[in-house]
Amino acid sequence: MAYEKSDATKLRRSAIRIFRAGLAAAEAGSAVRRHFSVADGYVCAGDVRLSLEDFDRIFLVAAGKAAVEMAAAVEAIGGRRLRGGLAVTKQAVARGRLRKIKIIEAEHPIPGRAGVRAVEMIRELLRELNARDLLVVAISGGASALLPAPADPITLEAKQRTTELLLRAGADIGERSEEHTSELQSHHD
């Protein structure tokens, strides 16, 4: 009987290790660390490799429920070249502190006024950039609700009401897509 219990314990421990490894691999900061680097005079994102000689400063805009985790990874990787930026995340989700990136909490899943303010802050940051600045953008799930930028003649209130109705009707994320009503998102045919 003790042999069987020992085997079960080993299996349980193995299952826990596998589960934890899966969580670590799926964590947004880990994904950023796998695909973004700043080293040997280059900044690399996926297959894109840019010479740091072409840039004086690096800024970040991160948006989504994993924005803070992604921003923390970019801060660690970017080092002294990262000058600042914004991380827009869901209210009550923001954990930890970032040194150079300002954390902004906005409404989700119903877009709200804090998200509209976040869009304005991003626009202000973009206006400050010049040709020698590199903007890194990291997007995770929830960004479309966190960054509402209603396209005229659509109002924030109309987007809120539409989102509420779609949620009540059980619409999935694809059906709730806001790309046709937002200035920040483009429509793809």
Side-chain angles (χ1 to χ4, degrees), residues 7 11 29 37-39 48 56 61 66 72 79 82 106 113-114 120 152 158 169 189:
D7 285 346
L11 284 173
S37 64
V38 176
V48 176
D56 295 326
V61 170
L82 182 70
R113 300 219 182 277
E120 280 307 312
D152 285 336
D189 286 320

Side-chain angles (χ1 to χ4, degrees), residues 11 23 40 45 63-64 81 84-85 89 95 98 100 117 121 141-142 155 182-183:
L11 284 173
L23 287 178
D40 301 324
R81 286 197 173 263
T89 192
R95 291 185 194 98
L98 299 173
K100 299 178 181 181
R117 284 190 297 276
M121 292 175 78
T155 64
S182 178
E183 290 181 359

Side-chain angles (χ1 to χ4, degrees), residues 10-62:
K10 287 179 185 176
L11 284 173
R12 188 175 300 114
R13 286 183 185 148
S14 292
I16 290 170
R17 278 196 306 273
I18 291 167
F19 177 73
R20 287 182 178 155
L23 287 178
E27 192 265 330
S30 295
V32 168
R33 286 185 288 280
R34 281 193 306 274
H35 299 285
F36 181 72
S37 64
V38 176
D40 301 324
Y42 291 92
V43 59
C44 301
D47 295 334
V48 176
R49 182 176 155 138
L50 303 170
S51 174
L52 286 170
E53 290 181 7
D54 295 336
F55 305 102
D56 295 326
R57 306 178 302 172
I58 299 173
F59 290 89
L60 170 72
V61 170

